[in-house]
Amino acid sequence: MDDLPLSELDAFTAIARERSFRAAARKRGVSASSLSDSLRRLEERLGVRLLNRTTRSVTPTEAGQRLLERLAPALGEVASALGQLDSFRDGPSGTLRLNVPTIVARTFLPGIVNRFLTAHPKVRIEVIAEDSFIDVLAAGYDAGIRYDERLERDMIAVPIGPRRQRYVTAASPDYLERRGMPRHPRDLIDHDCIIHRFLSGTSATPWEFDRNGETLMITPTGQVSANAIEIEVGAAVAGLGVMRTFEELLMPEVEAGRLQLILEEWVTEFSGPFLYYASRRHMPAALRAFVDFIKAEPQKGR
């Protein structure tokens, strides 16, 4: 074990995370065959099969999964420690991997990322936007962006983006003319609603309405359910139902007259998102630079 190369452990981690030799090779900038050779040598050294390989899939064995769970944080610490050497160079470098909700990727994050990369030309950023509730660190990300109720308590959280956001309800003028104007959230029980589905959920998420300290929960029903905001907004504009989502996503259609806000006394306001990451001694230089950049940025609604 004394001469076990870190490169072989890193190759195994990359393949196991991506579940693909080709995808891992693209991430590492090497050939798939070189990763395959590294994995073969590692399995021979350990005397244990770590990955099951077929022509269609790559999956960790039980031994491989246990090794991955223990190895990923350790390799992260090694990379972070090496990243500290960037302070002796001209500036931070390396790759910053972020997992963020789609609302964040669509609204304020592009501007922040563009300004950050302009200030730090040696840093690369990989952003994956999804609404699944995953363990971002176990999945190999350096940090994530989430809202209050989704933050793990053992993480460090830094405010990012707008500090207050709102959920609003809207429908097309044509739909409201045909079906009537809802005057109370309970009226939506008799209306077609456009439902946002999270990949991790099999049922519709209840809609929460707030007014003067009163909270109501309504379970929407309707013809359309999707996990893509383009489908949802398009359906609302086409007059297929009522939708409820982040104000930022609906205002362009409202201002253009294609959608109309309703139930405006029942707007739900909540705190904005946070960048979060693990507490550890060595932070990757790219992540440290990003955290410092976020802290220095003026934020709306402080």
Side-chain angles (χ1 to χ4, degrees):
M1 296 295 291
D2 292 339
D3 62 349
L4 194 63
L6 281 176
S7 59
E8 293 178 4
L9 296 172
D10 184 60
F12 158 70
T13 303
I15 299 164
R17 282 174 174 168
E18 299 296 331
R19 304 294 178 97
S20 165
F21 283 88
R22 289 184 179 179
R26 285 195 297 270
K27 293 279 187 182
R28 290 294 187 271
V30 298
S31 68
S33 61
S34 68
L35 286 184
S36 179
D37 290 341
S38 294
L39 178 64
R40 176 182 51 77
R41 288 194 298 270
L42 179 62
E43 289 179 328
E44 288 176 355
R45 290 175 190 272
L46 298 178
V48 176
R49 188 173 184 83
L50 300 175
L51 295 176
N52 291 318
R53 288 90 93 181
T54 70
T55 56
R56 295 186 178 182
S57 67
V58 177
T59 56
T61 62
E62 182 179 359
Q65 184 62 39
R66 290 188 181 183
L67 178 61
L68 179 64
E69 290 170 357
R70 299 295 299 273
L71 191 59
L75 287 177
E77 285 294 317
V78 172
S80 298
L82 293 174
Q84 298 298 302
L85 298 178
D86 283 333
S87 61
F88 295 95
R89 303 189 187 107
D90 295 332
S93 63
T95 300
L96 174 63
R97 300 191 73 219
L98 300 177
N99 184 283
V100 307
T102 54
I103 175 65
V104 168
R106 291 178 179 278
T107 53
F108 64 84
L109 187 60
I112 291 175
V113 165
N114 293 341
R115 293 191 295 274
F116 172 73
L117 292 178
T118 299
H120 299 282
K122 294 184 179 180
V123 174
R124 299 179 301 276
I125 284 189
E126 297 177 7
V127 178
I128 300 299
E130 59 182 348
D131 293 323
S132 299
F133 304 126
I134 66 170
D135 183 339
V136 298
L137 301 180
Y141 296 96
D142 296 300
I145 296 178
R146 290 293 183 268
Y147 287 84
D148 249 343
E149 70 275 11
R150 298 295 176 186
L151 288 176
E152 298 293 337
R153 297 308 168 196
D154 59 347
M155 296 291 172
I156 297 175
V158 177
I160 185 172
R163 299 324 308 140
R164 301 299 297 174
Q165 290 184 275
R166 306 199 313 163
Y167 251 62
V168 298
T169 313
S172 72
D174 173 66
Y175 176 88
L176 295 173
E177 183 177 350
R178 287 185 289 109
R179 299 292 301 273
M181 175 70 72
R183 302 295 178 183
H184 191 278
R186 294 191 190 93
D187 295 342
L188 295 178
I189 295 173
D190 298 320
H191 280 262
D192 289 321
C193 297
I194 297 166
I195 303 163
H196 181 79
R197 297 237 181 224
F198 292 99
L199 292 177
S200 54
T202 58
S203 59
T205 302
W207 288 358
E208 179 179 316
F209 294 87
D210 299 293
R211 183 182 67 175
N212 299 328
E214 178 185 3
T215 299
L216 287 176
M217 305 293 286
I218 303 295
T219 300
T221 59
Q223 282 184 289
V224 180
S225 65
N227 72 334
I229 193 63
E230 295 88 351
I231 299 294
E232 299 166 54
V233 173
V237 170
L240 294 177
V242 177
M243 75 173 296
R244 183 169 173 80
T245 190
F246 289 88
E247 184 177 37
E248 297 95 323
L249 297 179
L250 292 184
M251 288 313 296
E253 301 298 332
V254 171
E255 292 169 357
R258 291 185 286 269
L259 291 178
Q260 179 178 335
L261 293 178
I262 62 175
L263 299 173
E264 294 188 69
E265 294 181 354
W266 293 87
V267 168
T268 298
E269 187 171 317
F270 48 92
S271 64
F274 293 82
L275 176 77
Y276 74 102
Y277 53 95
S279 173
R280 57 191 184 190
R281 289 182 303 162
H282 300 296
M283 283 178 64
L287 176 58
R288 166 53 64 194
F290 190 65
V291 169
D292 291 343
F293 183 84
I294 294 304
K295 289 181 178 179
E297 280 246 306
Q299 296 176 30
K300 297 179 180 179
R302 278 190 185 274

